[in-house]
Amino acid sequence: MTTEREEFVDFVTPYYDQSGISILLREKVQEQNIFKFILVLEERVWFGIAGCVVIVIILLWILDRFSPYSYTNNKDLYPEGTREFTFGECVWFGLTSLTPQGGGECPKSLSSRVLVAAYWLFIVLMLATFTANLAALLTVERMETTVQSLEELGRQSQVNYTVLAGSPTEEYFKNMAGAEDELYNKWKEMTLNSSKDETKYRVWDYPIREQYNHIYSVIKKNTPVSSPEEGFKRVMENEKGDFAFIHDASEVKYAYYTTCPFLEIGEPFAEQPLAVAVQEGSSLAKEISQEILRMQKDRFFERVHSKFWNIADRNSCPITNDNQGITLRSLGGIFLIAGVGLLLSIIMLAYEVWQEKKEDSMRKVTPISQRQFVEKSMYGDFLGNRSDKVSTISSKENLRNASGAPAGNLIRVSSSSKQRFNGFSNSYGDTSSDY
């Protein structure tokens, strides 16, 4: 029921008390990113942290290697032993220092300790920055909301909106925009024609904030839709939640109750009742009004309302509660990293077991016999690869008795090698007559 329509038709008793205009949006589809915690810092910052860690590891190894006061160069000063900063230990120290667990025992030289102190200060500040920004990022994600009223919709520029072409909603914004223009013209006329007190009213101090002109211009820019279904479809297709459809409140509320992604923004405005229109002066107006009153008495319209605008349908939708805490999809990457570490530890355990078995199998190989050892180590240089080398040395006891033993010991050499062999035996205090 509108004032303009009542000039041409008659309305019977309203069957729906108030049905104004509502704003329909859809929930923003959250990005599925389990590594969201990485987005806390920019890529350049992550690369800077990695570069700093690498430089500290290399410098720590160099300082410990060349400093005259390091454990590597002064092992006599530490008979009980201490941590030696090899390159592998420097890598482990640099990585463990990134955590609150700490890097463990520090190096001994003053230069290395100065480097470690500066590195620890850097780590403390970076950890504090990362923790604060991670908490802020997750909080903003949970508390992120869209516009909540027509006033907010008119003040922002991220969410676009439109109406149904030729509908009362479009006519409403057109009339309100015209009313704003008319009010401003009246204000301008009043201020410019003020002769008594020129400082009391000033054109640039217009006291009414204009919003409907801006809203109507955006509506014309986005082109009104030709049917309500088209408007609902455009809202549904916009997964970022930055498009709104301004339409009749009863239809918007029905779409909101029956479609989970939809959101009804704010309270209905420009409310007016719904009623049946008849020809002006028609006798049907009285009869229809009496029938509508009887139906209201029988609570017919309440049953219809509860059937098609049932809040229970909305309750079956997934609940998005800001107080439910941080979700797994936001921090799933942390669990994934822990799982990768667990898998790597199992792989390294398998490698260690395999390496130990390999070393055990090498230790079980039959060692070189004493005869071969003596021939290759003691007499190899003397006898060479010739066929006239030592024939036999029966046991280790014969080897010990080879120096100063009586004649008849079990060493036989050929005549061609006797001279060189005698020279070798004389180096052990033996005489050639003993052989």
Side-chain angles (χ1 to χ4, degrees):
M1 298 176 63
T2 62
T3 304
E4 295 82 0
R5 289 173 177 171
E6 285 184 332
E7 296 178 359
F8 304 95
V9 294
D10 289 338
F11 287 99
V12 302
T13 302
Y15 61 87
Y16 196 94
D17 291 337
Q18 298 293 330
S19 178
I21 302 173
S22 288
I23 304 171
L24 186 70
L25 273 173
R26 72 157 294 166
E27 293 181 354
K28 181 180 179 181
V29 178
Q30 298 292 338
E31 297 180 0
Q32 301 293 331
N33 187 1
I34 61 176
F35 295 100
K36 186 176 288 293
F37 64 93
I38 297 180
L39 304 177
V40 173
L41 303 176
E42 293 183 352
E43 294 182 359
R44 292 178 294 180
V45 179
W46 286 115
F47 285 125
I49 294 174
C52 179
V53 173
V54 172
I55 292 174
V56 168
I57 291 173
I58 296 175
L59 284 179
L60 183 60
W61 177 73
I62 293 175
L63 293 176
D64 193 78
R65 183 178 179 85
F66 293 99
S67 174
Y69 299 100
S70 65
Y71 171 72
T72 304
N73 299 322
N74 291 278
K75 292 184 178 180
D76 296 337
L77 298 178
Y78 305 95
E80 71 282 359
T82 186
R83 185 178 186 179
E84 184 175 358
F85 278 80
T86 61
F87 187 77
E89 283 294 321
C90 291
V91 172
W92 182 249
F93 181 86
L95 295 179
T96 54
S97 295
L98 293 172
T99 65
Q101 185 67 27
E105 187 177 357
C106 298
K108 299 300 181 181
S109 63
L110 180 61
S111 57
S112 298
R113 292 191 173 188
V114 171
L115 175 64
V116 169
Y119 180 57
W120 281 350
L121 179 61
F122 166 78
I123 293 301
V124 168
L125 296 177
M126 290 307 303
L127 284 177
T129 303
F130 177 82
T131 303
N133 283 273
L134 178 61
L137 177 65
L138 296 177
T139 302
V140 169
E141 180 189 20
R142 294 163 55 197
M143 299 180 61
E144 186 176 1
T145 58
T146 182
V147 294
Q148 298 296 322
S149 63
L150 180 66
E151 290 73 16
E152 292 184 11
L153 188 68
R155 288 197 298 263
Q156 56 81 47
S157 58
Q158 296 180 350
V159 179
N160 288 321
Y161 42 88
T162 189
V163 297
L164 177 64
S167 65
T169 304
E170 182 183 19
E171 189 70 20
Y172 169 78
F173 286 109
K174 180 179 179 181
N175 294 338
M176 295 300 292
E180 285 184 345
D181 291 337
E182 187 67 23
L183 288 174
Y184 180 76
N185 291 330
K186 294 293 184 181
W187 169 264
K188 183 172 64 174
E189 181 181 354
M190 181 177 62
T191 54
L192 293 178
N193 296 332
S194 177
S195 58
K196 294 182 179 179
D197 191 356
E198 297 180 356
T199 61
K200 186 176 181 180
Y201 303 110
R202 293 175 292 187
V203 177
W204 53 87
D205 285 337
Y206 184 55
I208 301 177
R209 186 180 61 84
E210 296 179 311
Q211 66 174 0
Y212 289 99
N213 270 294
H214 172 70
I215 293 176
Y216 188 58
S217 64
V218 174
I219 289 173
K220 291 190 296 184
K221 180 180 178 181
N222 291 322
T223 308
V225 295
S226 58
S227 65
E229 290 75 16
E230 182 183 351
F232 296 144
K233 182 180 179 181
R234 290 182 64 178
V235 173
M236 177 61 71
E237 291 176 349
N238 196 285
E239 296 184 351
K240 294 182 179 180
D242 55 2
F243 186 83
F245 181 47
I246 308 175
H247 192 53
D248 178 76
S250 59
E251 295 190 47
V252 168
K253 190 176 293 291
Y254 177 77
Y256 168 70
Y257 284 159
T258 57
T259 310
C260 290
F262 283 158
L263 294 175
E264 185 182 14
I265 303 303
E267 296 292 333
F269 56 93
E271 293 182 325
Q272 292 174 326
L274 298 180
V276 176
V278 296
Q279 186 178 11
E280 189 175 11
S282 174
S283 60
L284 291 175
K286 183 178 180 180
E287 297 180 8
I288 296 177
S289 296
Q290 291 177 349
E291 184 64 23
I292 289 177
L293 290 174
R294 185 188 64 80
M295 296 171 69
Q296 288 179 347
K297 182 180 179 181
D298 295 338
R299 305 175 67 90
F300 172 79
F301 295 108
E302 293 183 12
R303 293 194 299 270
V304 172
H305 186 276
S306 61
K307 177 180 179 181
F308 292 99
W309 289 272
N310 192 353
I311 190 62
D313 297 334
R314 185 68 187 180
N315 293 335
S316 61
C317 295
I319 299 176
T320 56
N321 187 6
D322 293 338
N323 298 323
Q324 64 182 353
I326 299 174
T327 59
L328 181 61
R329 67 184 179 188
S330 299
L331 298 178
I334 297 178
F335 294 93
L336 182 60
I337 292 175
V340 171
L342 177 62
L343 180 62
L344 289 177
S345 65
I346 296 175
I347 294 175
M348 293 306 299
L349 174 62
Y351 170 77
E352 291 173 350
V353 173
W354 174 80
Q355 185 68 19
E356 179 65 20
K357 290 183 178 180
K358 181 180 178 182
E359 294 177 357
D360 288 343
S361 63
M362 293 179 64
R363 285 194 292 266
K364 292 179 181 179
V365 175
T366 304
I368 300 175
S369 63
Q370 292 180 359
R371 183 181 65 82
Q372 292 174 328
F373 176 78
V374 171
E375 289 180 355
K376 290 184 179 181
S377 61
M378 282 190 70
Y379 298 102
D381 294 337
F382 165 65
L383 297 177
N385 296 323
R386 299 175 56 182
S387 61
D388 55 347
K389 59 186 177 180
V390 177
S391 299
T392 58
I393 296 180
S394 60
S395 65
K396 187 175 181 181
E397 187 65 25
N398 288 335
L399 176 61
R400 292 198 299 267
N401 293 335
S403 177
N409 276 327
L410 299 178
I411 298 179
R412 297 196 305 272
V413 297
S414 63
S415 59
S416 61
S417 302
K418 186 176 182 179
Q419 184 178 0
R420 285 179 294 167
F421 188 78
N422 287 338
F424 174 80
S425 63
N426 288 337
S427 65
Y428 286 89
D430 300 326
T431 59
S432 60
S433 61
D434 295 328
Y435 299 92

